[in-house]
Coordinates of all heavy atoms in Angstrom, one line a residue:
M1 N 3.7 14.8 -4.2 CA 4.2 13.8 -3.3 C 3.2 13.3 -2.5 O 2.3 14.0 -1.8 CB 5.4 14.5 -2.5 CG 6.1 13.4 -1.6 SD 7.6 14.1 -0.8 CE 8.8 13.7 -2.1
H2 N 3.2 12.0 -2.2 CA 2.1 11.3 -1.5 C 2.8 10.6 -0.3 O 3.9 10.3 -0.2 CB 1.3 10.4 -2.4 CG 0.7 11.1 -3.5 ND1 -0.6 11.7 -3.3 CD2 1.0 11.1 -4.7 CE1 -0.9 12.3 -4.5 NE2 0.0 11.9 -5.4
K3 N 2.0 10.3 0.7 CA 2.5 9.7 2.0 C 2.8 8.3 1.8 O 3.5 7.7 2.4 CB 1.3 9.9 3.1 CG 1.3 11.4 3.5 CD 0.3 11.5 4.4 CE 0.1 13.0 4.8 NZ -0.7 13.3 6.1
I4 N 2.1 7.5 0.8 CA 2.2 6.1 0.6 C 2.8 5.9 -0.9 O 2.3 6.6 -1.8 CB 1.0 5.2 0.7 CG1 0.4 5.4 2.1 CG2 1.3 3.8 0.5 CD1 1.1 4.9 3.4
K5 N 3.9 5.2 -0.9 CA 4.5 5.0 -2.3 C 4.7 3.4 -2.5 O 4.6 2.7 -1.6 CB 5.9 5.5 -2.3 CG 6.0 7.1 -2.3 CD 7.4 7.6 -2.4 CE 7.4 9.1 -2.5 NZ 8.8 9.5 -2.7
R6 N 4.9 3.1 -3.9 CA 5.2 1.7 -4.1 C 6.4 1.2 -3.4 O 7.4 1.9 -3.3 CB 5.4 1.7 -5.8 CG 5.2 0.2 -6.2 CD 5.2 0.2 -7.8 NE 6.6 -0.1 -8.1 CZ 7.2 0.6 -9.0 NH1 6.9 1.7 -9.6 NH2 8.5 0.0 -9.3
D7 N 6.4 -0.1 -3.1 CA 7.5 -0.8 -2.3 C 7.5 -0.4 -0.9 O 8.4 -0.9 -0.2 CB 8.8 -0.6 -3.1 CG 8.9 -1.2 -4.3 OD1 8.2 -2.2 -4.6 OD2 9.6 -0.8 -5.2
D8 N 6.7 0.4 -0.3 CA 6.5 0.7 1.1 C 5.9 -0.4 1.8 O 5.1 -1.2 1.2 CB 5.7 1.9 1.5 CG 6.3 3.3 1.1 OD1 7.6 3.3 1.0 OD2 5.6 4.3 1.1
L9 N 6.4 -0.7 3.1 CA 5.7 -1.8 3.9 C 4.7 -1.1 4.7 O 4.9 -0.1 5.3 CB 6.9 -2.3 4.8 CG 6.3 -3.4 5.8 CD1 5.8 -4.6 4.9 CD2 7.3 -3.8 6.8
V10 N 3.4 -1.6 4.6 CA 2.2 -0.9 5.2 C 1.6 -1.9 6.0 O 1.7 -3.1 5.8 CB 1.3 -0.4 4.2 CG1 2.0 0.8 3.4 CG2 0.7 -1.3 3.2
K11 N 0.7 -1.4 7.0 CA -0.1 -2.3 7.9 C -1.6 -1.9 7.6 O -1.9 -0.7 7.5 CB 0.3 -2.0 9.4 CG -0.5 -2.7 10.3 CD -0.1 -2.6 11.7 CE -0.9 -3.5 12.6 NZ -0.3 -3.2 14.0
V12 N -2.4 -2.8 7.4 CA -3.8 -2.6 7.2 C -4.4 -2.2 8.6 O -4.3 -2.9 9.5 CB -4.5 -3.7 6.6 CG1 -6.0 -3.4 6.3 CG2 -3.9 -4.1 5.3
I13 N -5.2 -1.0 8.7 CA -5.7 -0.6 9.9 C -7.2 -0.7 10.0 O -7.8 -0.5 11.1 CB -5.3 0.9 10.3 CG1 -5.8 1.8 9.4 CG2 -3.8 0.8 10.4 CD1 -5.5 3.2 9.6
A14 N -7.9 -1.2 8.9 CA -9.3 -1.2 8.9 C -9.9 -2.3 7.9 O -9.0 -2.5 6.8 CB -9.9 0.1 8.6
G15 N -11.0 -3.0 8.1 CA -11.4 -3.9 7.1 C -11.2 -5.3 7.5 O -10.8 -5.5 8.6
K16 N -11.4 -6.3 6.5 CA -11.4 -7.6 6.8 C -10.0 -8.1 7.0 O -9.8 -9.1 7.8 CB -12.1 -8.5 5.8 CG -11.4 -8.4 4.4 CD -12.1 -9.4 3.4 CE -11.1 -9.3 2.2 NZ -11.7 -10.2 1.1
D17 N -9.0 -7.5 6.6 CA -7.6 -7.9 6.6 C -6.8 -7.1 7.7 O -5.6 -6.8 7.5 CB -7.0 -7.9 5.3 CG -7.5 -8.9 4.4 OD1 -7.6 -10.1 4.8 OD2 -7.6 -8.7 3.2
K18 N -7.6 -6.4 8.7 CA -6.9 -5.6 9.7 C -5.7 -6.3 10.4 O -5.8 -7.6 10.6 CB -8.0 -5.3 10.7 CG -7.6 -4.2 11.8 CD -8.6 -3.8 12.8 CE -8.1 -2.9 13.7 NZ -9.2 -2.5 14.7
D19 N -4.7 -5.5 10.6 CA -3.5 -6.0 11.3 C -2.6 -6.7 10.3 O -1.5 -7.2 10.7 CB -3.7 -6.8 12.5 CG -4.3 -5.9 13.6 OD1 -4.1 -4.7 13.7 OD2 -5.2 -6.3 14.5
K20 N -3.0 -7.0 9.1 CA -2.0 -7.7 8.2 C -1.0 -6.6 7.6 O -1.3 -5.5 7.6 CB -2.8 -8.3 7.0 CG -3.5 -9.6 7.3 CD -4.0 -10.2 6.1 CE -4.6 -11.5 6.4 NZ -5.3 -12.1 5.3
Q21 N 0.2 -7.1 7.3 CA 1.2 -6.3 6.7 C 1.6 -6.8 5.4 O 1.5 -8.0 5.0 CB 2.5 -6.3 7.5 CG 2.4 -5.5 8.9 CD 3.7 -5.3 9.4 OE1 4.7 -5.8 9.1 NE2 3.7 -4.7 10.7
G22 N 2.0 -5.9 4.5 CA 2.4 -6.3 3.2 C 3.1 -5.0 2.4 O 3.1 -4.0 2.8
K23 N 3.8 -5.4 1.2 CA 4.4 -4.5 0.5 C 3.4 -3.9 -0.5 O 2.6 -4.6 -1.1 CB 5.5 -5.2 -0.3 CG 6.4 -4.1 -1.1 CD 7.6 -4.8 -1.6 CE 7.3 -5.5 -2.9 NZ 8.3 -6.0 -3.8
V24 N 3.5 -2.6 -0.8 CA 2.6 -1.9 -1.8 C 3.0 -2.3 -3.1 O 4.2 -2.0 -3.5 CB 2.6 -0.4 -1.5 CG1 1.7 0.4 -2.6 CG2 2.1 0.0 -0.1
L25 N 2.2 -2.7 -3.9 CA 2.4 -3.2 -5.3 C 2.0 -2.0 -6.3 O 2.6 -1.9 -7.4 CB 1.6 -4.3 -5.7 CG 1.9 -5.6 -4.8 CD1 1.0 -6.8 -5.3 CD2 3.4 -6.1 -5.0
H26 N 0.9 -1.3 -5.9 CA 0.5 -0.2 -6.9 C -0.2 0.8 -6.1 O -1.0 0.6 -5.2 CB -0.5 -0.9 -8.0 CG -1.1 0.1 -8.9 ND1 -0.3 0.6 -9.9 CD2 -2.3 0.7 -9.0 CE1 -1.1 1.5 -10.4 NE2 -2.4 1.4 -10.0
V27 N -0.1 2.0 -6.5 CA -0.9 3.1 -5.9 C -1.5 4.0 -6.9 O -1.0 4.4 -8.0 CB 0.2 4.1 -5.2 CG1 -0.5 5.4 -4.5 CG2 1.0 3.5 -4.1
D28 N -2.9 4.1 -6.8 CA -3.7 4.9 -7.7 C -4.1 6.1 -7.0 O -4.9 6.2 -6.2 CB -5.0 4.0 -8.1 CG -5.8 4.8 -9.1 OD1 -5.5 5.9 -9.5 OD2 -7.0 4.2 -9.2
T29 N -3.2 7.2 -7.3 CA -3.5 8.5 -6.6 C -4.8 9.1 -7.1 O -5.3 9.8 -6.2 CB -2.2 9.4 -6.8 OG1 -2.1 9.6 -8.4 CG2 -1.0 8.9 -6.2
K30 N -5.2 8.9 -8.2 CA -6.5 9.5 -8.8 C -7.7 9.1 -7.9 O -8.5 9.9 -7.6 CB -6.6 9.3 -10.2 CG -7.6 10.2 -10.9 CD -7.6 10.0 -12.3 CE -8.4 11.0 -13.0 NZ -8.4 10.9 -14.5
N31 N -7.7 7.7 -7.6 CA -8.8 7.3 -6.9 C -8.6 7.1 -5.4 O -9.3 6.4 -4.7 CB -9.3 6.0 -7.6 CG -9.8 6.2 -8.9 OD1 -10.6 7.2 -9.2 ND2 -9.5 5.4 -9.9
S32 N -7.4 7.4 -5.0 CA -7.0 7.0 -3.6 C -7.0 5.6 -3.2 O -7.6 5.3 -2.1 CB -7.7 7.9 -2.6 OG -7.5 9.3 -2.8
K33 N -6.4 4.7 -4.0 CA -6.4 3.4 -3.7 C -5.0 2.7 -3.7 O -4.2 3.4 -4.5 CB -7.3 2.5 -4.9 CG -8.7 3.0 -5.0 CD -9.6 2.4 -3.9 CE -11.0 2.7 -4.1 NZ -11.9 2.1 -3.2
V34 N -4.8 1.6 -3.0 CA -3.6 0.9 -3.1 C -3.9 -0.5 -3.3 O -4.8 -1.0 -2.7 CB -2.8 1.3 -1.8 CG1 -2.1 2.6 -1.7 CG2 -3.5 0.9 -0.5
V35 N -2.9 -1.3 -3.8 CA -2.9 -2.7 -3.9 C -1.7 -3.2 -3.0 O -0.6 -2.8 -3.4 CB -2.9 -3.2 -5.4 CG1 -2.8 -4.7 -5.4 CG2 -3.9 -2.7 -6.3
V36 N -2.0 -4.0 -2.1 CA -1.0 -4.5 -1.0 C -0.8 -5.9 -1.4 O -1.8 -6.8 -1.4 CB -1.4 -4.2 0.4 CG1 -0.3 -4.7 1.3 CG2 -1.6 -2.7 0.6
E37 N 0.5 -6.4 -1.4 CA 0.7 -7.9 -1.6 C 0.2 -8.8 -0.6 O 0.3 -8.6 0.7 CB 2.3 -8.0 -1.6 CG 2.7 -9.3 -2.0 CD 4.3 -9.4 -2.1 OE1 5.0 -8.8 -1.2 OE2 4.8 -9.8 -3.1
G38 N -0.7 -9.7 -1.0 CA -1.2 -10.7 0.0 C -2.4 -10.3 0.8 O -2.8 -11.0 1.8
V39 N -3.0 -9.0 0.6 CA -4.0 -8.6 1.4 C -5.2 -8.2 0.5 O -5.1 -7.9 -0.7 CB -3.5 -7.2 2.1 CG1 -4.7 -6.5 2.8 CG2 -2.5 -7.3 3.0
N40 N -6.4 -8.3 1.0 CA -7.7 -8.2 0.3 C -7.8 -9.1 -1.0 O -8.1 -8.6 -2.1 CB -7.8 -6.7 -0.1 CG -9.3 -6.4 -0.4 OD1 -10.1 -6.9 0.1 ND2 -9.4 -5.2 -1.2
M41 N -7.4 -10.3 -0.8 CA -7.6 -11.4 -1.8 C -9.0 -11.6 -2.4 O -9.9 -11.6 -1.5 CB -6.8 -12.6 -1.4 CG -5.4 -12.6 -1.0 SD -4.3 -11.9 -2.2 CE -4.2 -13.4 -3.2
I42 N -9.1 -11.6 -3.7 CA -10.5 -11.9 -4.3 C -10.3 -13.2 -5.2 O -9.2 -13.5 -5.6 CB -11.0 -10.8 -5.0 CG1 -10.0 -10.4 -6.2 CG2 -11.3 -9.5 -4.1 CD1 -10.7 -9.4 -7.2
T43 N -11.3 -13.8 -5.6 CA -11.3 -14.9 -6.4 C -11.9 -14.3 -7.8 O -12.9 -13.7 -7.9 CB -12.3 -16.0 -6.0 OG1 -11.8 -16.4 -4.6 CG2 -12.3 -17.2 -6.8
K44 N -11.2 -14.6 -8.8 CA -11.5 -14.1 -10.1 C -11.6 -15.2 -11.1 O -10.8 -16.1 -11.1 CB -10.5 -13.0 -10.6 CG -10.8 -12.3 -11.8 CD -9.8 -11.2 -12.2 CE -10.0 -10.6 -13.5 NZ -11.2 -9.9 -13.6
H45 N -12.7 -15.3 -11.9 CA -12.9 -16.4 -12.9 C -12.3 -15.8 -14.2 O -12.8 -14.9 -14.7 CB -14.3 -16.7 -13.0 CG -14.8 -17.3 -11.7 ND1 -15.0 -18.7 -11.7 CD2 -15.3 -16.8 -10.6 CE1 -15.5 -19.0 -10.3 NE2 -15.7 -17.8 -9.7
V46 N -11.3 -16.6 -14.6 CA -10.5 -16.2 -15.8 C -10.8 -17.0 -17.0 O -10.7 -18.3 -17.0 CB -9.0 -16.1 -15.6 CG1 -8.2 -15.5 -16.7 CG2 -8.7 -15.3 -14.4
K47 N -11.2 -16.4 -18.2 CA -11.5 -17.2 -19.5 C -10.1 -17.6 -20.0 O -9.1 -16.9 -19.8 CB -12.1 -16.2 -20.5 CG -13.6 -16.0 -20.3 CD -14.1 -15.2 -21.4 CE -15.6 -15.0 -21.4 NZ -16.1 -14.3 -22.5
P48 N -10.1 -18.8 -20.7 CA -8.7 -19.1 -21.5 C -8.3 -18.0 -22.4 O -9.1 -17.3 -23.0 CB -9.3 -20.4 -22.1 CG -10.4 -20.9 -21.5 CD -11.2 -19.7 -20.9
G49 N -7.1 -17.8 -22.4 CA -6.5 -16.8 -23.4 C -5.0 -17.1 -23.6 O -4.5 -18.1 -23.1
P50 N -4.4 -16.2 -24.2 CA -2.9 -16.5 -24.5 C -2.1 -16.6 -23.4 O -1.1 -17.4 -23.3 CB -2.5 -15.3 -25.5 CG -3.7 -14.6 -25.8 CD -4.8 -15.1 -24.9
G51 N -2.3 -15.8 -22.4 CA -1.5 -15.8 -21.1 C -1.8 -16.9 -20.3 O -1.0 -17.4 -19.5
N52 N -3.0 -17.4 -20.3 CA -3.6 -18.5 -19.5 C -4.4 -19.5 -20.2 O -5.7 -19.2 -20.3 CB -4.3 -17.9 -18.3 CG -4.8 -18.9 -17.2 OD1 -4.4 -20.1 -17.4 ND2 -5.3 -18.5 -16.1
P53 N -3.9 -20.4 -21.0 CA -4.6 -21.2 -21.9 C -5.7 -22.1 -21.2 O -6.6 -22.4 -21.8 CB -3.7 -22.0 -22.7 CG -2.3 -22.0 -21.8 CD -2.4 -20.7 -21.0
Q54 N -5.3 -22.5 -19.9 CA -6.3 -23.4 -19.2 C -7.5 -22.5 -18.7 O -8.7 -23.0 -18.6 CB -5.6 -24.0 -18.0 CG -6.4 -24.9 -17.2 CD -6.8 -26.2 -18.1 OE1 -6.0 -26.6 -19.0 NE2 -7.9 -26.8 -17.7
G55 N -7.4 -21.2 -18.4 CA -8.4 -20.5 -17.7 C -8.6 -21.0 -16.2 O -7.7 -21.6 -15.8
G56 N -9.7 -20.7 -15.6 CA -10.0 -21.2 -14.2 C -10.2 -20.1 -13.3 O -10.5 -19.0 -13.6
I57 N -9.9 -20.5 -12.0 CA -10.3 -19.6 -10.9 C -8.8 -19.1 -10.4 O -7.9 -19.9 -10.1 CB -11.0 -20.2 -9.8 CG1 -12.4 -20.7 -10.3 CG2 -11.2 -19.3 -8.7 CD1 -13.1 -21.5 -9.4
V58 N -8.7 -17.7 -10.3 CA -7.4 -17.2 -9.9 C -7.6 -16.2 -8.6 O -8.6 -15.6 -8.5 CB -6.9 -16.3 -11.0 CG1 -5.6 -15.6 -10.6 CG2 -6.7 -17.1 -12.3
Q59 N -6.7 -16.4 -7.6 CA -6.7 -15.5 -6.5 C -5.8 -14.3 -6.8 O -4.7 -14.5 -7.3 CB -6.2 -16.3 -5.2 CG -7.0 -17.4 -4.8 CD -8.1 -17.0 -3.7 OE1 -9.1 -16.3 -4.2 NE2 -7.8 -17.1 -2.6
K60 N -6.3 -13.1 -6.6 CA -5.5 -11.9 -6.8 C -5.9 -10.8 -5.7 O -6.8 -10.8 -5.1 CB -5.7 -11.4 -8.2 CG -7.0 -10.9 -8.6 CD -7.0 -10.4 -10.1 CE -6.4 -9.0 -10.1 NZ -6.5 -8.3 -11.3
E61 N -4.9 -9.9 -5.6 CA -5.2 -8.8 -4.7 C -6.1 -7.7 -5.3 O -6.0 -7.4 -6.6 CB -3.9 -8.1 -4.3 CG -2.9 -8.9 -3.5 CD -1.8 -9.6 -4.5 OE1 -1.9 -9.5 -5.8 OE2 -0.9 -10.2 -3.9
A62 N -7.0 -7.2 -4.5 CA -7.8 -6.1 -4.9 C -7.4 -4.9 -4.3 O -6.7 -4.8 -3.3 CB -9.3 -6.5 -4.6
A63 N -7.9 -3.7 -4.7 CA -7.3 -2.4 -4.2 C -8.2 -2.3 -2.9 O -9.3 -2.6 -2.7 CB -7.8 -1.4 -5.2
L64 N -7.3 -1.5 -2.0 CA -7.9 -1.0 -0.7 C -7.9 0.6 -0.8 O -7.1 1.2 -1.5 CB -6.9 -1.3 0.3 CG -6.9 -2.8 0.8 CD1 -5.7 -2.9 1.8 CD2 -8.1 -3.1 1.7
D65 N -8.6 1.2 0.0 CA -8.6 2.6 0.1 C -7.3 2.9 0.9 O -6.9 2.3 1.9 CB -9.9 3.1 0.8 CG -10.0 4.7 0.7 OD1 -9.4 5.4 1.4 OD2 -10.7 5.0 -0.4
I66 N -6.8 4.0 0.4 CA -5.4 4.4 1.0 C -5.5 4.9 2.4 O -4.6 4.8 3.1 CB -4.8 5.6 0.1 CG1 -3.3 5.6 0.3 CG2 -5.4 6.8 0.3 CD1 -2.5 6.4 -0.8
S67 N -6.8 5.1 2.8 CA -6.9 5.6 4.3 C -7.0 4.4 5.2 O -6.8 4.7 6.3 CB -8.2 6.5 4.4 OG -9.3 5.6 4.1
N68 N -7.1 3.3 4.6 CA -7.2 2.0 5.4 C -5.7 1.4 5.7 O -5.6 0.3 6.3 CB -8.0 1.0 4.8 CG -9.4 1.4 4.9 OD1 -9.8 2.3 5.6 ND2 -10.3 0.8 4.0
V69 N -4.7 2.0 5.4 CA -3.3 1.5 5.5 C -2.4 2.5 6.2 O -2.7 3.7 6.0 CB -2.6 1.1 4.2 CG1 -3.3 -0.1 3.6 CG2 -2.4 2.1 3.2
M70 N -1.4 2.2 6.9 CA -0.4 3.0 7.6 C 0.9 2.5 7.3 O 1.2 1.3 7.2 CB -0.6 2.9 9.1 CG -1.6 4.0 9.7 SD -1.6 3.9 11.4 CE -0.8 5.4 11.8
L71 N 1.8 3.4 7.1 CA 3.2 3.1 6.8 C 3.9 2.5 8.1 O 3.6 3.0 9.2 CB 4.0 4.4 6.4 CG 5.4 4.1 5.8 CD1 5.4 3.5 4.6 CD2 6.0 5.4 5.8
V72 N 4.7 1.4 7.8 CA 5.3 0.9 8.9 C 6.9 1.2 8.9 O 7.5 1.1 7.9 CB 5.3 -0.8 8.8 CG1 6.2 -1.4 9.9 CG2 3.8 -1.2 8.9
V73 N 7.3 1.8 10.1 CA 8.7 2.3 10.2 C 9.2 1.7 11.3 O 8.7 1.8 12.5 CB 8.8 3.8 10.2 CG1 10.1 4.3 10.5 CG2 8.1 4.5 9.1
D74 N 10.3 0.9 11.4 CA 11.0 0.2 12.5 C 10.0 -0.7 13.2 O 10.0 -0.8 14.4 CB 11.5 1.4 13.5 CG 12.6 2.3 12.9 OD1 13.4 1.8 12.0 OD2 12.7 3.4 13.4
G75 N 9.1 -1.4 12.4 CA 8.3 -2.4 12.9 C 7.0 -1.9 13.5 O 6.2 -2.6 14.0
K76 N 6.8 -0.5 13.5 CA 5.6 0.1 14.0 C 4.8 0.9 13.0 O 5.5 1.6 12.3 CB 5.8 0.9 15.2 CG 6.3 0.2 16.5 CD 6.4 1.1 17.6 CE 6.8 0.4 18.9 NZ 6.9 1.4 20.0
A77 N 3.5 0.8 13.1 CA 2.7 1.6 12.1 C 2.8 3.1 12.6 O 2.7 3.3 13.8 CB 1.3 1.2 12.1
T78 N 3.1 4.1 11.7 CA 3.3 5.4 12.1 C 2.6 6.4 11.2 O 2.4 6.1 10.0 CB 4.8 5.7 12.2 OG1 4.9 7.0 12.8 CG2 5.5 5.5 10.9
R79 N 2.2 7.6 11.7 CA 1.8 8.6 10.8 C 2.9 9.2 10.0 O 4.0 9.1 10.5 CB 1.1 9.7 11.7 CG -0.2 9.1 12.3 CD -0.8 10.3 13.0 NE -1.9 9.8 13.7 CZ -2.9 10.6 14.2 NH1 -2.7 11.8 14.4 NH2 -4.1 10.1 14.9
V80 N 2.6 9.8 8.9 CA 3.6 10.4 8.0 C 3.3 11.8 7.8 O 2.1 12.2 7.6 CB 3.6 9.7 6.5 CG1 4.6 10.3 5.7 CG2 3.8 8.2 6.8
G81 N 4.3 12.7 7.8 CA 4.2 14.1 7.5 C 5.3 14.5 6.5 O 6.2 13.6 6.2
F82 N 5.3 15.7 6.3 CA 6.3 16.3 5.3 C 7.1 17.4 6.0 O 6.5 18.2 6.7 CB 5.6 16.7 4.0 CG 5.0 15.6 3.3 CD1 3.6 15.4 3.3 CD2 5.8 14.9 2.4 CE1 3.1 14.4 2.5 CE2 5.1 13.8 1.7 CZ 3.9 13.6 1.7
E83 N 8.4 17.5 5.7 CA 9.2 18.5 6.1 C 10.2 18.9 5.0 O 10.4 18.1 4.1 CB 10.1 18.2 7.4 CG 9.2 18.1 8.7 CD 10.1 17.6 9.8 OE1 11.4 17.7 9.7 OE2 9.5 17.3 10.9
V84 N 10.7 20.1 5.0 CA 11.7 20.6 4.1 C 13.0 20.5 4.6 O 13.3 21.1 5.6 CB 11.3 22.0 3.6 CG1 12.3 22.5 2.6 CG2 9.9 22.1 3.0
K85 N 13.8 19.6 4.0 CA 15.2 19.4 4.6 C 16.2 19.7 3.3 O 16.0 19.1 2.3 CB 15.4 18.0 5.1 CG 14.5 17.7 6.3 CD 15.2 17.2 7.4 CE 14.2 17.0 8.5 NZ 14.6 16.5 9.7
D86 N 17.1 20.5 3.6 CA 18.1 20.9 2.5 C 17.4 21.3 1.3 O 17.8 21.0 0.2 CB 19.0 19.7 2.3 CG 19.9 19.3 3.5 OD1 20.1 20.2 4.2 OD2 20.1 18.1 3.6
G87 N 16.3 22.0 1.3 CA 15.7 22.6 0.1 C 14.7 21.6 -0.5 O 14.2 21.8 -1.6
K88 N 14.5 20.3 0.0 CA 13.8 19.3 -0.6 C 12.7 18.9 0.4 O 12.9 18.8 1.7 CB 14.6 18.0 -0.8 CG 15.5 18.1 -2.0 CD 16.1 16.9 -2.4 CE 16.3 16.8 -3.9 NZ 16.5 15.4 -4.4
K89 N 11.6 18.7 -0.2 CA 10.4 18.1 0.6 C 10.6 16.7 0.8 O 10.7 15.9 -0.1 CB 9.2 18.4 -0.1 CG 7.8 18.1 0.7 CD 6.6 18.5 -0.2 CE 5.4 18.2 0.5 NZ 4.2 18.5 -0.4
V90 N 10.5 16.1 2.1 CA 10.8 14.7 2.4 C 9.7 14.1 3.3 O 9.1 15.0 4.1 CB 12.2 14.5 3.1 CG1 13.3 14.7 1.9 CG2 12.4 15.3 4.4
R91 N 9.4 12.9 3.3 CA 8.4 12.2 4.1 C 9.2 12.0 5.5 O 10.3 11.6 5.6 CB 8.0 10.9 3.6 CG 7.2 11.1 2.3 CD 6.7 9.7 1.9 NE 7.6 8.6 1.7 CZ 7.3 7.4 1.5 NH1 6.0 7.0 1.6 NH2 8.3 6.5 1.3
V92 N 8.4 12.2 6.6 CA 9.0 12.1 7.9 C 8.0 11.2 8.8 O 6.8 11.5 8.7 CB 9.3 13.5 8.5 CG1 9.8 13.2 9.9 CG2 10.3 14.2 7.7
A93 N 8.6 10.3 9.5 CA 7.7 9.5 10.5 C 7.4 10.5 11.7 O 8.3 11.1 12.3 CB 8.4 8.3 11.0
K94 N 6.1 10.8 12.0 CA 5.7 11.8 12.9 C 6.2 11.4 14.3 O 6.7 12.3 15.1 CB 4.2 12.0 13.0 CG 3.6 12.6 11.7 CD 3.0 13.9 12.1 CE 2.5 14.5 10.8 NZ 1.5 15.6 11.0
A95 N 6.2 10.2 14.7 CA 6.4 9.8 16.1 C 8.0 9.8 16.3 O 8.4 10.3 17.4 CB 6.1 8.3 16.3
T96 N 8.8 9.5 15.5 CA 10.3 9.5 15.6 C 11.0 10.7 15.0 O 12.1 11.0 15.3 CB 10.8 8.2 15.2 OG1 10.7 8.1 13.8 CG2 10.2 6.9 15.8
G97 N 10.4 11.2 14.0 CA 11.0 12.5 13.3 C 12.0 11.8 12.3 O 12.8 12.5 11.8
K98 N 12.0 10.6 12.0 CA 12.9 10.0 11.1 C 12.5 10.1 9.6 O 11.3 10.0 9.3 CB 12.9 8.4 11.3 CG 13.8 7.7 10.5 CD 13.8 6.1 11.0 CE 14.7 5.4 10.1 NZ 14.7 3.9 10.5
V99 N 13.6 10.6 8.8 CA 13.3 10.7 7.4 C 13.1 9.4 6.9 O 13.9 8.4 7.0 CB 14.3 11.5 6.8 CG1 14.2 11.6 5.2 CG2 14.5 12.9 7.4
I100 N 12.0 9.1 5.9 CA 11.7 7.9 5.4 C 12.5 7.8 4.1 O 12.8 6.6 3.8 CB 10.1 7.7 5.3 CG1 9.6 7.8 6.7 CG2 9.8 6.4 4.7 CD1 8.1 8.0 6.7
D101 N 12.4 8.6 3.2 CA 12.9 8.5 1.9 C 14.5 8.2 1.9 O 15.3 8.8 2.4 CB 12.7 9.7 1.0 CG 11.2 9.9 0.8 OD1 10.6 8.9 0.5 OD2 10.7 10.9 0.7

């Protein structure tokens, strides 16, 4: 179980997009990277192909290190911990003690 999951709302706390918020699109646990919607945009030159017959320049999200994002709970960025409740391990917002899952 990891502290950041897909579809979580996160806030960027470091880097060129600091203070931006977005939804997590993809989590790469092996390399500790996350892709956040609308954050860390890069320009990619795409060759023509079946999916894009015109080709051209495309804007897309690049991966961020997972340590550069914080989970947003009730509008505030918060630390995440784990507790065992009813025999299950759940994510808990450290500041409020609120169960996230």
Side-chain angles (χ1 to χ4, degrees):
M1 185 174 271
H2 300 282
K3 293 180 179 183
I4 305 290
K5 292 183 176 181
R6 199 171 97 231
D7 293 330
D8 281 345
L9 183 65
V10 294
K11 181 177 182 178
V12 179
I13 60 171
K16 68 176 185 178
D17 292 320
K18 185 175 179 177
D19 294 330
K20 285 189 181 178
Q21 287 188 2
K23 188 175 82 167
V24 175
L25 301 175
H26 177 74
V27 180
D28 182 3
T29 55
K30 195 171 190 179
N31 298 319
S32 298
K33 301 280 186 183
V34 290
V35 177
V36 181
E37 189 175 44
V39 176
N40 200 24
M41 299 299 286
I42 60 164
T43 303
K44 185 171 174 74
H45 295 261
V46 181
K47 284 186 175 181
N52 187 357
Q54 183 66 30
I57 300 171
V58 177
Q59 292 275 77
K60 66 179 280 186
E61 295 95 354
L64 287 166
D65 197 271
I66 202 164
S67 67
N68 292 340
V69 297
M70 267 182 116
L71 189 66
V72 174
V73 178
D74 298 331
K76 289 187 175 181
T78 183
R79 292 183 180 187
V80 180
F82 293 100
E83 288 182 9
V84 177
K85 302 234 182 192
D86 300 327
K88 286 192 147 192
K89 185 177 176 184
V90 293
R91 295 187 303 167
V92 176
K94 290 240 181 168
T96 61
K98 182 179 177 183
V99 176
I100 299 164
D101 292 325

